[in-house]
Amino acid sequence: MTREDNMSKETETKKEKTLRTPMDKKKKRKIIRRCVLGGVVVLFVLFRITTSISAKNAGLIVQTEAVTIQDIEQTMNTSGIVKSEETKTYFAPLSLKIGSVSVAAGDSVKKGQPLIVYDAGALENARQMEELKQQASEGGYESSIYKNNKYIAELGEANVNLDVLEQQIADSENYVKELQQKIDDKKAALAHEGTLLQISLLDWSDKPDSEEYLNLQKLIQYNSYEQQNNKDIQAWQKEIETYQEIIAGYKEYRSEMKAQKSSAESGSMDTGSKSQLEANTQMERLGSEETLASMEEVKNGILADFNGIVTEVSVVEGAIPIQGEKLVTLESTDKVKVEITVSKYDLEKIVVGQTATINIAGQKYDGKVTRINGMATTNASGAAVVGAEIEIDNPDSAIYLGIEARVEIHIARVAGAVAIPVELINSDKEGDFVFIVDNGVVVKKRITTGITSDSYSEVIEGLSEGDQVIAATGADLEEGMAVTAIPSGEAVSQ
């Protein structure tokens, strides 16, 4: 069987089927009406095109876009990683037993929520021990100061008394010397007097019975008695004995004061030792106060300083961490940012302060550029990129740290700009240009552009509202070429 026979057979089969199921009359009328209207529209469009071509004696038919006035916003779309702007690592303020660990890595916590709780019994015992330690330190300091003050007083007393005693001993010894000199002088005078009497007696020895001789013998006997029993000499000698006893007492007391001085000097603190004692006591006092303050601060546990996510837990229940050991790391969800990287081509577009829209897991947030790094790094492809940070203005509990976020940075915005679609702009070595239709011919128009959105570009110079820009590439157009312009959408609107 030939191909023609098969086609004939299929046609007959279709006719048979058509005959078997006749079309509904109402549906048939609708189809006919649509066909008629469609044909009329086609004929009308062909008539309009033919009329336009004939009227202008034009050659190439081109579609044009009218220059419009509209608001244009330039944005930059990128992506980055959601991170916290505030991270805090909690370290053990005390070396005490951990009673309970209330969180695990990945947990979401609220500000003021306990993260770790110390064992209550261990905390109370440590508090009492620290208070006793502080009391002992204060008591030792007060005792040392009391003893030092006592030694200082004794030293002062000894120094004063020694000065007085030395003077009293010197004065007394000088006075004894004076008395002894009086005695010696008195004895010498009496002896001299006795000698003179003996000489005189010799002169009268040839007259033993004379009155003068007898008187001289009496005077010699009296002189001899005076030398042995002179009242002044006896009084002075007695006074010397008295002062010698006084001097002995002074010297004994001086020995006591010297011993007291030596003891006070060895027992009392010098300026350096006292300063050291005061400094050590003060350091112990401050250390105890700090430890007690830490105990008071954690009596209800180590609490979260802000809303956030626990990213690390380094301790377990029952452990006794050393002071300063890392316990928990918390990252804030109240202060959140998106870290992005910018190529050298986009770097000139962004500045600190620009607003942004951030999309995180389907939720949109407002933000702004808060930081642009001052140095570039190399990405996985080996290209130089610069890091930047977008701060989220209104973070909430729906934000997940560490995931990727889409970011739209609002670069610039111009209201009421002269605008044309981006794809209509051509470029050569002299700059940007477009083709417009002016009195039925193609005109090459140089333009100066401003900001660009995804669809439109701002025209700062070269075009005005209403100008008809040819929607075609420059490869098929030449300046001065006659064309027939059909505004975009006109055929449809007619």
Side-chain angles (χ1 to χ4, degrees), residues 203-238:
D203 290 340
W204 291 94
S205 60
D206 58 344
K207 297 178 181 180
D209 296 326
S210 64
E211 185 176 354
E212 286 79 1
Y213 183 83
L214 295 173
N215 287 332
L216 285 171
Q217 283 185 330
K218 291 179 182 179
L219 289 173
I220 289 171
Q221 289 177 358
Y222 179 76
N223 176 266
S224 178
Y225 177 82
E226 280 297 314
Q227 287 189 42
Q228 297 299 322
N229 300 291
N230 185 267
K231 292 181 179 179
D232 291 335
I233 292 174
Q234 289 178 352
W236 290 334
Q237 286 178 338
K238 189 175 182 179

Side-chain angles (χ1 to χ4, degrees), residues 89-255:
T89 298
Y90 295 84
F91 298 92
L94 305 164
S95 183
L96 294 175
K97 181 181 177 182
I98 300 298
S100 63
V101 179
S102 307
V103 294
D107 285 354
S108 176
V109 299
K110 296 292 184 181
K111 179 179 180 180
Q113 180 177 333
L115 305 175
I116 290 174
V117 178
Y118 279 102
D119 181 81
L123 189 62
E124 178 60 22
N125 290 338
R127 184 188 65 78
Q128 293 179 4
M129 289 292 292
E130 197 62 38
E131 288 177 348
L132 292 173
K133 178 182 174 182
Q134 188 176 28
Q135 290 175 9
S137 175
E138 294 292 341
Y141 171 75
E142 291 176 2
S143 176
S144 296
I145 292 299
Y146 171 79
K147 290 179 180 178
N148 187 59
N149 291 338
K150 181 181 178 183
Y151 283 131
I152 290 173
E154 290 177 352
L155 180 61
E157 179 187 30
N159 285 331
V160 171
N161 288 343
L162 283 171
D163 289 340
V164 173
L165 286 170
E166 293 292 350
Q167 186 63 47
Q168 288 176 336
I169 290 170
D171 291 344
S172 297
E173 287 179 342
N174 289 332
Y175 186 62
V176 167
K177 288 179 180 180
E178 291 176 3
L179 290 176
Q180 188 62 50
Q181 188 62 46
K182 287 181 179 181
I183 292 172
D184 292 341
D185 291 343
K186 188 67 173 177
K187 285 182 176 182
L190 289 171
H192 180 68
E193 183 182 358
T195 301
L196 293 176
L197 288 173
Q198 287 292 340
I199 293 170
S200 297
L201 182 64
L202 289 174
D203 290 340
W204 291 94
S205 60
D206 58 344
K207 297 178 181 180
D209 296 326
S210 64
E211 185 176 354
E212 286 79 1
Y213 183 83
L214 295 173
N215 287 332
L216 285 171
Q217 283 185 330
K218 291 179 182 179
L219 289 173
I220 289 171
Q221 289 177 358
Y222 179 76
N223 176 266
S224 178
Y225 177 82
E226 280 297 314
Q227 287 189 42
Q228 297 299 322
N229 300 291
N230 185 267
K231 292 181 179 179
D232 291 335
I233 292 174
Q234 289 178 352
W236 290 334
Q237 286 178 338
K238 189 175 182 179
E239 193 172 0
I240 286 174
E241 291 173 0
T242 300
Y243 268 89
Q244 285 177 338
E245 290 178 1
I246 292 174
I247 291 171
Y250 285 157
K251 288 182 177 180
E252 184 179 356
Y253 191 37
R254 181 178 65 180
S255 297

Side-chain angles (χ1 to χ4, degrees), residues 82-83 108-110 307-309 331-337 358-366 391-401 403:
V82 180
K83 293 189 176 182
S108 176
V109 299
K110 296 292 184 181
N307 299 328
I309 302 297
E331 295 190 19
S332 173
T333 53
D334 292 333
K335 296 180 180 179
V336 182
K337 64 184 176 182
I358 301 104
N359 189 316
I360 303 174
Q363 298 292 326
K364 288 189 175 182
Y365 302 89
D366 296 327
E391 182 183 274
I392 298 177
D393 295 336
N394 53 338
D396 55 29
S397 58
I399 289 179
Y400 293 89
L401 300 179
I403 68 170

Side-chain angles (χ1 to χ4, degrees), residues 56-72:
K56 297 180 181 179
N57 296 318
L60 183 66
I61 298 174
V62 295
Q63 190 175 30
T64 60
E65 291 278 353
V67 177
T68 58
I69 301 296
Q70 58 182 283
D71 298 340
I72 297 179

Side-chain angles (χ1 to χ4, degrees), residues 213-333:
Y213 183 83
L214 295 173
N215 287 332
L216 285 171
Q217 283 185 330
K218 291 179 182 179
L219 289 173
I220 289 171
Q221 289 177 358
Y222 179 76
N223 176 266
S224 178
Y225 177 82
E226 280 297 314
Q227 287 189 42
Q228 297 299 322
N229 300 291
N230 185 267
K231 292 181 179 179
D232 291 335
I233 292 174
Q234 289 178 352
W236 290 334
Q237 286 178 338
K238 189 175 182 179
E239 193 172 0
I240 286 174
E241 291 173 0
T242 300
Y243 268 89
Q244 285 177 338
E245 290 178 1
I246 292 174
I247 291 171
Y250 285 157
K251 288 182 177 180
E252 184 179 356
Y253 191 37
R254 181 178 65 180
S255 297
E256 293 177 5
M257 288 298 100
K258 285 182 177 181
Q260 180 174 311
K261 179 180 180 180
S262 177
S263 176
E265 286 177 339
S266 62
S268 62
M269 293 182 286
D270 57 24
T271 303
S273 298
K274 185 178 180 181
S275 296
Q276 183 179 15
L277 174 65
E278 291 174 347
N280 289 337
T281 305
Q282 181 66 10
M283 285 191 295
E284 290 175 0
R285 182 185 300 119
L286 292 175
S288 293
E289 289 175 354
E290 184 177 350
T291 301
L292 289 170
S294 297
M295 292 177 180
E296 180 65 22
E297 187 176 347
V298 300
K299 67 179 182 180
N300 295 321
I302 296 176
L303 310 180
D305 289 337
F306 42 76
N307 299 328
I309 302 297
V310 176
T311 57
E312 184 179 3
V313 178
S314 306
V315 70
V316 295
E317 182 178 334
I320 303 178
I322 62 174
Q323 189 172 1
E325 183 177 337
K326 184 167 69 172
L327 302 177
V328 176
T329 299
L330 179 65
E331 295 190 19
S332 173
T333 53

